């Protein structure tokens, strides 16, 4: 095939090189953005007098038709093309002749590709933001249903202090809320137009970068033309935000997998989100959560790959940068698919609050409250801590728990103990008395739920 850039060379590359060089398999998905970018460029060329109005109209009408034809399937994208930019331009030229060749005036594929990725990712980020909101909504809904259900909170995966399940879930809602704002931030910085930077140095034509930036919904144009075509910071920022989302999803997955085990038995996933074993009839596996945990590594790899690809590049454009899309799009699809499956999986999971409560009753998770009881009666905290530690160890030796140790036994450790200690160390009291802001206390958890409802409301959810 004759290359559009044939001239300096005969344009005769080996088939192997053509295939190696081509990015059409990955950038063909940006056909719409590529065409919209070209339409804005053509309109601007007419506005500043580089093309006549009729020329621009004819180009734009033909581009419009190409877009419609690709969308309807009438125009299949040629997978032998070098990239989507070349494909669209070659079809245009085939359809309208020499006029099509005028489109590339005052433009380069270097600014073109940078525009396309930004426009494409703007749409993808809208989708990811909506998915994040839906997941937050699912978490808050389940949290509200379980705002009184007590379970052990853990540190070091050892039972630590009683909490309510809603509190634990809302911790994840907070993570995803931060993720949402991370994506919003990245989009803000991404939303500047590189168009008109051309190859790297700008152009001798009297173009208007403001006009194309506005037409394409950018907030501004990139100030330095060299930076405009070399910058892939926005890819790194998005990949980093996506990696953090995956890290959060993976931690949540890990807990769901643990909670679904016989050993914990805190939740049961709906059949729709589990699989069986081909050999063991009793199995119900949390495959979706495991896959999400597994895919996290891929997304981290996409981030590391992109950072590494960029680290040694001299300014401005280098072909290495063509690799940006493979990583970015892979991470984007992965995050979207994981979020998509996570929300309904959380919404439909059965919470076994009875088992959670039972686990909370064993494991001395009210020991801190017993120490606080002594402290409030005048014993220094460190001494109270030691006294309660001894009581716990004696209880373990005797096979009993704090709630069942008789008062006389308590009073042998300290005469500060009184009959009201039992009320003080009941799990409900332990939770209710956690009154500090953001704590697990019922009032505080209610406040957190209301805060999320307001937040979701402002986002139209
Ligand atoms: N396919 C290329 C990419 O994705 C487009 C830009 C090509 N620019 C060039 N000077 N060869 O990066």
């Amino acid at each position: 095939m004759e290359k559009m850039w044939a001239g300096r060379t005969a344009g005769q590359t080996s088939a192997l090189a053509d295939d190696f060089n081509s990015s059409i398999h990955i950038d063909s998905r940006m056909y719409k953005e590529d065409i919209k970018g070209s339409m804005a460029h053509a309109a601007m060329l007419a506005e500043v007098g580089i093309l006549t109005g009729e020329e621009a109209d004819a180009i734009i009408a033909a581009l419009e038709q190409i877009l419609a034809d690709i969308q309807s399937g009438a125009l299949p994208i040629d997978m032998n093309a070098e990239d989507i930019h070349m494909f669209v331009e070659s079809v245009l030229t085939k359809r309208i002749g020499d006029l099509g060749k005028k489109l590339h005036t005052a433009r380069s594929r270097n600014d073109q590709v940078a525009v396309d990725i930004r426009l494409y990712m703007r749409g993808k980020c809208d989708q990811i933001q909506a998915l994040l909101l839906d997941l937050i909504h699912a978490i808050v809904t389940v949290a509200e249903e379980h705002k009184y259900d007590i379970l052990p909170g853990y540190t070091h995966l050892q039972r630590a202090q009683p909490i309510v399940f809603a509190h634990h879930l809302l911790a994840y809602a907070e993570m995803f809320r931060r993720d949402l704002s991370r994506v919003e931030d990245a989009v803000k910085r991404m939303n500047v137009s590189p168009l008109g930077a051309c190859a790297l140095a700008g152009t001798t034509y009297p173009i208007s970068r403001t006009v194309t930036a506005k037409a394409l919904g950018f907030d501004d144009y990139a100030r330095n033309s060299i930076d405009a075509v070399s910058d892939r910071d926005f890819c790194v920022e998005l990949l980093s935000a996506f990696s953090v989302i995956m890290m959060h999803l993976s931690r949540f997955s890990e807990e769901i997998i643990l909670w679904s085990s016989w050993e914990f038995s805190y939740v049961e996933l709906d059949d729709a989100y589990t699989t069986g074993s081909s050999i063991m009839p009793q199995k119900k596996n949390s495959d979706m959560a495991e896959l999400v945990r597994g895919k996290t590594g891929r997304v981290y790899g996409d981030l590391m790959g992109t950072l590494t690809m960029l680290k040694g590049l001299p300014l401005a454009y280098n072909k290495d940068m063509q690799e940006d899309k493979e990583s970015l799009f892979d991470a984007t699809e992965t995050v979207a698919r994981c979020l998509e499956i996570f929300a309904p999986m959380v919404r439909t999971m059965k919470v076994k609050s009875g088992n959670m409560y039972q686990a909370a009753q064993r494991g001395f998770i009210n020991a801190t409250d017993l120490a606080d009881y002594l402290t409030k009666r005048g014993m220094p905290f460190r001494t109270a801590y030691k006294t309660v530690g001894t009581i716990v160890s004696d209880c373990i030796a005797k096979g009993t728990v704090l709630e069942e140790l008789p008062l006389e036994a308590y009073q042998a450790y300290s005469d500060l103990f009184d009959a009201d200690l039992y009320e003080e160390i009941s799990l409900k009291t332990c939770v209710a008395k956690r009154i500090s802001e953001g704590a697990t206390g019922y009032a505080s958890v209610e406040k957190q739920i209301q805060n999320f409802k307001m937040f979701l409301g402002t986002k139209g959810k």
Side-chain angles (χ1 to χ4, degrees), residues 164-199:
V164 288
F165 192 46
H167 192 209
H168 195 104
L169 288 176
L170 290 173
Y172 283 105
E174 293 290 358
M175 296 176 218
F176 295 121
R177 172 153 65 178
R178 284 196 298 275
D179 289 335
L180 188 73
S181 81
R182 254 184 286 273
V183 175
E184 284 167 356
D185 277 355
V187 169
K188 260 182 239 155
R189 270 182 298 277
M190 172 174 75
N191 205 32
V192 294
S193 174
L195 199 55
C198 304

Side-chain angles (χ1 to χ4, degrees), residues 118-183:
R118 286 164 197 256
L119 292 179
Y120 181 79
M121 288 311 296
R122 222 163 58 186
K124 285 288 165 187
C125 287
D126 281 349
Q127 185 199 350
I128 286 172
Q129 287 172 20
L131 287 166
L132 276 169
L133 274 176
D134 190 45
L135 178 57
I136 295 172
H137 181 269
I139 295 171
V140 173
T141 308
V142 180
E144 185 152 38
E145 286 160 17
H146 299 283
K147 54 186 177 185
Y148 301 117
D149 294 347
I150 295 174
L151 80 161
Y154 294 80
T155 62
H156 312 271
L157 202 57
Q158 304 282 335
R159 291 173 190 171
Q161 290 179 337
I163 56 172
V164 288
F165 192 46
H167 192 209
H168 195 104
L169 288 176
L170 290 173
Y172 283 105
E174 293 290 358
M175 296 176 218
F176 295 121
R177 172 153 65 178
R178 284 196 298 275
D179 289 335
L180 188 73
S181 81
R182 254 184 286 273
V183 175

